[in-house]
Amino acid sequence: MNSLSLNERLGLAGVSEELLTDVRQSSTNGKGIVDILIQKKAISESDLIAALGAQFNIPVWEELPTDHINTDFTGQISIQYLKKHKIVPLITPDGSFVAVNDPSHFQPVDDLRHILDCNDFQIVLATQETIVSAINLAYDLSRSTAKEFFQEMNDESTDSIISEIEDTGDLLDDTSDAPIIKLVNLLLSGAIKDRASDIHIEPYQNSLKIRYRIDGILYTILNLPRKIQSTLVSRVKIMARLNIAEKRLPQDGRIEIKVADRSVDIRVSVIPTAFGERVVLRLLDKTTAILTLSDLGMDVKTINLFNILIKSPYGIILVTGPTGSGKSTTLYAALSSINGPEINIITIEDPIEYQIEGIGQIQINPKIDLTFANGLRSIVRQDPDVILVGEIRDQETAEIAIQSSLTGHLVFSTLHTNDAASAVTRLIDMGVEPFLVTSSVIAIIAQRLVRVLCPKCKEVYMPDDESIKNMGISKGILEHHIIYRRKGCHACMQTGYRGRTGIFEIMIMDDPIKKLILKTSDSNQINETALERGMRTMLQDGAGKVLKGITTIEEVLRVTRILRRETDVEIE
């Protein structure tokens, strides 16, 4: 097998002799064999790389060692050059390598050796996607931050840098080296790198504060001179295509950016305050995959119950919680799990946060009177099986959603209430008749997001009696479980947490609860009956995650703010 020529290897892989002739002719014109064959879809890239590796006796790496990558080369070589030639140097503790996609292009490798003054590189083969990901990671790790950028202002050049920001000429020129453009770019890329969901730009009397919301908590990133506030806000407005001359009225806009291989949609909100315009940017990474039900933090028992509910032929399933509690993510996961060619799913949202293949999604637009209520009326005439209404905000939308469920549709929607039982009270307060609520709503899910302990630095401890009591955990169960608390390290930015997961309570609208709702809309009575019927509260779900070492007692109490009597907690 080793004596085979490259043409013979490619022939065995299904590449015709005619195509190989075309490839030889094209390669003399400067095009590489890998690019030509992949472009013509004559062979899969992995098969092609394997054939080239066998022919030239070059190792093929499915993954590149990027855990301890040295990023010093990023200051000597442009990212565009590496991406153009699809090569990346990997200087690791185990040696120096150059990952290439096409071994016939040897000139760029020689250039790298000369620029980096290193002649002992080992050549390895990798796919284009793997190489581009390694390039992006290296330049992302080496990128300076907004904080580092403004540390330069601590020396004698402070006034000149601020003056340059204030007097910058063309804010529209993205390729300019104007400091304000660099600052905004660093703020955006830094937020994405730090997994921030929001950027707050807040003017005060003597300073301009920049804060990131990471895992639901705001952290101050920068305190800047007050005098650059106007220029900074103007730059953001230009990017969002807003009116930079209007400083008296609130404005909303949108920015789409690409950072490395990630496409990010940014919603911009500008409001006037006493000390100038305040800006909040909500970041949505559109390249993030839709989560599955298990990714949400549901245990096996909850997932099984939820799967039964979302496969109901009709009725309303409500997800409740405050803003930022993950309601939309839960509904998207539910839609993804039931999505298929045999079902027609249509959504009406504000805004469309994730685009799902095979689902019709409508963006509301109040300017042309496309509201939730009006859009829902039209959706019903599209022969849907499942409808998602982004939010029930008024009586009209609630009643149309209920009528849709009563005519054979499964409807998903959200409400802003503190717990599952309060959702019933909210609907009745809107003006919906109790008998319509009981005949249409099949389940109400309340949820919160708790921060997950950093696996690298969490430490074991014994909580005090009051904390155990507040969590509703009996002392006997602690004999078989370990409780952790946060500590803080470099990996979690000294917060002790990294990422978030959900805690849930699901109230099934069974007959005893329906009969109670027809008599009263008191959420306390409804909640007590649901607990008697076996509903597990968010606090109990959170206690289970504490005992599993996922989160902390303080974190669960922070998001629930509820004290319960001592009870045993189920652990799956």
Side-chain angles (χ1 to χ4, degrees), residues 86-156:
K86 300 177 184 67
I87 59 175
V88 60
L90 299 165
I91 304 170
T92 70
D94 298 326
S96 301
F97 307 89
V98 175
V100 303
N101 184 245
D102 188 344
S104 65
H105 277 181
F106 50 82
Q107 186 60 49
V109 178
D110 287 341
D111 291 342
L112 274 185
R113 287 188 173 123
H114 177 70
I115 294 170
L116 299 178
D117 192 23
C118 183
N119 294 317
D120 58 350
F121 276 121
Q122 180 182 346
I123 306 298
V124 298
L125 288 177
T127 62
Q128 294 182 9
E129 182 181 358
T130 304
I131 290 174
V132 171
S133 293
I135 294 171
N136 288 334
L137 176 64
Y139 281 84
D140 187 42
L141 291 173
S142 66
R143 184 183 293 117
S144 62
T145 65
K147 198 170 202 175
E148 292 168 350
F149 176 65
F150 264 86
Q151 282 175 350
E152 300 170 9
M153 298 176 59
N154 292 330
D155 59 21
E156 59 187 12

Side-chain angles (χ1 to χ4, degrees), residues 418 446-448 503-505 536-542 560:
N418 289 328
Q447 68 176 75
R448 296 288 189 279
I503 56 174
F504 304 86
E505 68 181 30
R536 186 170 62 164
T537 66
M538 287 183 285
L539 184 68
Q540 291 170 330
D541 191 22
T560 57

Side-chain angles (χ1 to χ4, degrees), residues 357-384:
E357 185 71 28
I359 292 179
Q361 296 174 269
I362 302 170
Q363 167 75 54
I364 75 162
N365 188 350
K367 292 181 180 178
I368 57 173
D369 204 29
L370 177 55
T371 61
F372 279 119
N374 292 338
L376 191 50
R377 287 193 187 93
S378 300
I379 286 175
V380 175
R381 294 192 286 270
Q382 288 280 315
D383 185 33

